[in-house]
Amino acid sequence: MTDESLAEQRMSPTAQAIGLAGFLAVCFGAAALGGIATGPEIDGWYRTLEKPSWQPPPWVFGPVWSVLYLLMAVAAWLVWRRSGFRDAAVPLSLFAVQLILNVAWSWIFFRLEMPGWAWLELVVLWLAIVVTTWAFFRRTSAAGGLMLPYLAWVTFAGALNFAIWRLNA
C-alpha cells in the first residue's frame, strides 16, 4: 500500500475540495471573530500604548495572519483527509482548542485592554499550538510542518505582548 491512507483512497475529489473549503471557512471565520475585537482598537486604545522599537509596522500583521490562517487550514485539512473526523478526533480537537484560544487572545488584549492577562492566555495558546503541531506531525509531516510558521509567529507575538505589557504597566 502507498503512503495514502484508506480515508484518502475512499474520499472523492469533490469531498476533499468541500473539506478544504470547510477548514478555510473555519480558520478565516476565527480570523474574522478576532478582527471584530481588534479592528476598532487599532486606532484607539492600542495607538496610545508604548511599544518596543522592534515591533513590525502595522501593515505587516494583516498579511502575516492571512498566510498563517491559510497554512493552519491546509494543515488541518491534511490531517482530516488522511484519517477522517473520527480517526483524527484528537488532533482536530486540539486544533479547535488552539483556534478558540487564538480568538480569545484578541478579545482579551484588544477588547478588554488587558495585556497582562492576554500574555498569560498566549502562553496557554502557545502550549496548545505545540501540542497540536506534535499531534499533526504524528499524522503527516506536511501538516506538522505547516503549523511551524504559526508557532514561530505566536512565539514572536508573545514576546511583543510581554514587552507592551511591561512598557505600559
Side-chain angles (χ1 to χ4, degrees):
M1 184 143 120
T2 67
D3 192 32
E4 282 188 311
S5 72
L6 290 175
E8 283 176 289
Q9 290 174 6
R10 288 189 302 248
M11 200 176 299
S12 72
T14 301
Q16 291 186 41
I18 291 169
L20 178 57
F23 282 106
L24 288 166
V26 166
C27 287
F28 283 98
L33 288 174
I36 291 169
T38 304
E41 301 299 331
I42 294 295
D43 288 330
W45 169 77
Y46 187 72
R47 180 176 281 193
T48 68
L49 296 176
E50 293 289 325
K51 296 169 203 75
S53 60
W54 46 270
Q55 175 177 308
W59 63 265
V60 168
F61 291 90
V64 167
W65 276 111
S66 294
V67 169
L68 293 175
Y69 282 113
L70 174 64
L71 295 177
M72 283 190 278
V74 172
W77 174 73
L78 288 172
V79 169
W80 167 78
R81 189 181 75 156
R82 165 86 29 129
S83 306
F85 282 117
R86 186 177 25 189
D87 291 340
V90 171
L92 292 175
S93 295
L94 291 168
F95 182 80
V97 167
Q98 68 79 30
L99 202 57
I100 291 165
L101 290 168
N102 178 305
V103 171
W105 180 87
S106 296
W107 285 84
I108 296 167
F109 187 93
F110 287 103
R111 186 56 61 103
L112 299 177
E113 301 176 0
M114 301 175 82
W117 285 107
W119 183 78
L120 289 173
E121 193 273 355
L122 193 139
V123 170
V124 176
L125 168 60
W126 187 89
L127 291 170
I129 296 167
V130 167
V131 172
T132 302
T133 301
W134 173 79
F136 277 21
F137 265 118
R138 291 184 48 115
R139 294 295 171 144
T140 166
S141 59
L146 288 170
M147 293 292 287
L148 292 176
Y150 176 43
L151 180 61
W153 183 259
V154 171
T155 302
F156 172 75
L160 181 59
N161 184 157
F162 186 81
I164 290 171
W165 172 39
R166 300 313 310 147
L167 287 169
N168 294 279

